[in-house]
Amino acid sequence: MHEAAAAIDDPLRMRSAGPDLLSLALIDARNCTLRWLAAFEPVLPALGPSALADPPLWLVGHAAWFQEYWIARHVQRGRGEAADRRGPHLASIEREADDWFDPSVHDRVQRWRLALPEPAALRQYLVETLDATLDLLAAAGDSDAALYVFRLALRREDIVGEALAAAAQALQLPPDPEAPAPWLPRPARAGREPIGFPAQRFTLGSAPGGLVPANERWAHEVAVPEFEIDAQAVSWARYAEFVVDGGCDEPQWWSAEGWAWVQAEARRAPRYVEQMRQAVLVQRQGQMQRVGPAQAAVHVSRHEAEAWCRWAGRRLPTEAEWELAALQGAPRGFVWGEVFEWVLGSARPYPGGGEVPPGFSPFPEPGRCGVLRGASWMTRSRQRHPRARRFAAPHRDELFCGFRSCAL
């Protein structure tokens, strides 16, 4: 059993996992979703859109709906990526599931107006959709095409779990007791000097094999000039120097969009931070808690990351620099995975990526979103892949995101 538990946490194995491992991982992910539902249940009556991006009940229901839509209801599920995403789907076991949980039907504002099912009914939907998934998985076969939708559903549910963790953070709820908690003190990490890398040719992106997300397609060679990059994400101690120096009051460090955001939000420190002078104090579960100065700064928007870099005379890394360092720098002290990290550039497909495969979100409009690399403390181990990419708008700071810097 220990070997199986280790296997479902292995990101390389899980991208190509067979039926047995997928079954265990899907059960594990659904159990996590059920625990989040139980954690949110006592506070649901008081929730409103001012606190959260999406209703927690919607996120929970969406995880079950996505799995059912692409597996139990997907007539062409056995064709994998060759399936017609607009092809026929069977009816849901829940008559109103599409109207409630299909993200294309309602935007985030409208989701708060929906009369979503009660937690007990939603819990039953979670159980029944997983039962159907496991039955179909047992008869699916072991080809990449046959297992595509199962791997896809697992990835989506793990990502929904991160969104629920961010919502729990915003509401000051206790964390999932079986998951790492970024709002609790982390062990101190000794500081390391930045790492230099020589100019070289580097393969950016993922090669075919198993489930490859659309935004990692496909591996292609790029020229990377010589660069120097932080060994660790920027810490609270380093970020506090910027705040204490009045960085949030000086427009010279901010982009025009970033300065407008700072002014509109009246932001003088990252989200949840109450004090940055003498010590970093944050609001956690209704109490003020001291944060270790060596911990990675978290809940930092891209606007804030860029402003810090200008103030420090540094810059964000490019995607190629970040990925190269993550793959080659571990023996020299490069550490990642504490926070998602903002990098230079905007969300875009890689050259030759082709059409977005079924089940993946389309690419955002050019210039609308930035890129996050790595993983956070709340990312499931099986999703911690060095070539993984996430996209988010520059103002998003409810995510578990931070940054590191490069020399100019």
Side-chain angles (χ1 to χ4, degrees), residues 120-181:
L122 194 51
R123 191 173 287 109
Q124 186 64 27
Y125 183 52
L126 287 163
V127 171
E128 291 178 0
T129 52
L130 178 63
D131 285 345
T133 292
L134 297 178
D135 287 344
L136 292 168
L137 176 58
D142 58 4
S143 69
D144 277 347
L147 297 176
Y148 174 81
V149 291
F150 298 93
R151 295 167 181 165
L152 180 71
L154 174 64
R155 172 181 167 80
R156 176 57 66 95
E157 189 145 0
D158 282 341
I159 291 174
V160 166
E162 292 178 23
L164 288 165
Q169 171 82 313
L171 295 170
Q172 305 292 309
L173 295 181
D176 177 350
E178 296 187 32

Side-chain angles (χ1 to χ4, degrees), residues 3-29 134 137 142-144 147-156 158 209-213 360 380-385:
E3 182 180 349
I8 66 170
D9 284 337
D10 187 323
L12 295 179
R13 289 187 66 177
M14 289 311 301
R15 287 193 172 197
S16 299
D20 291 342
L21 277 182
L22 277 173
S23 177
L24 292 174
L26 287 163
I27 293 170
D28 175 63
L134 297 178
L137 176 58
D142 58 4
S143 69
D144 277 347
L147 297 176
Y148 174 81
V149 291
F150 298 93
R151 295 167 181 165
L152 180 71
L154 174 64
R155 172 181 167 80
R156 176 57 66 95
D158 282 341
L211 182 75
V212 180
F360 284 102
R380 300 304 297 265
S381 295
R382 54 180 166 259
Q383 303 299 342
R384 291 171 172 264
H385 195 285

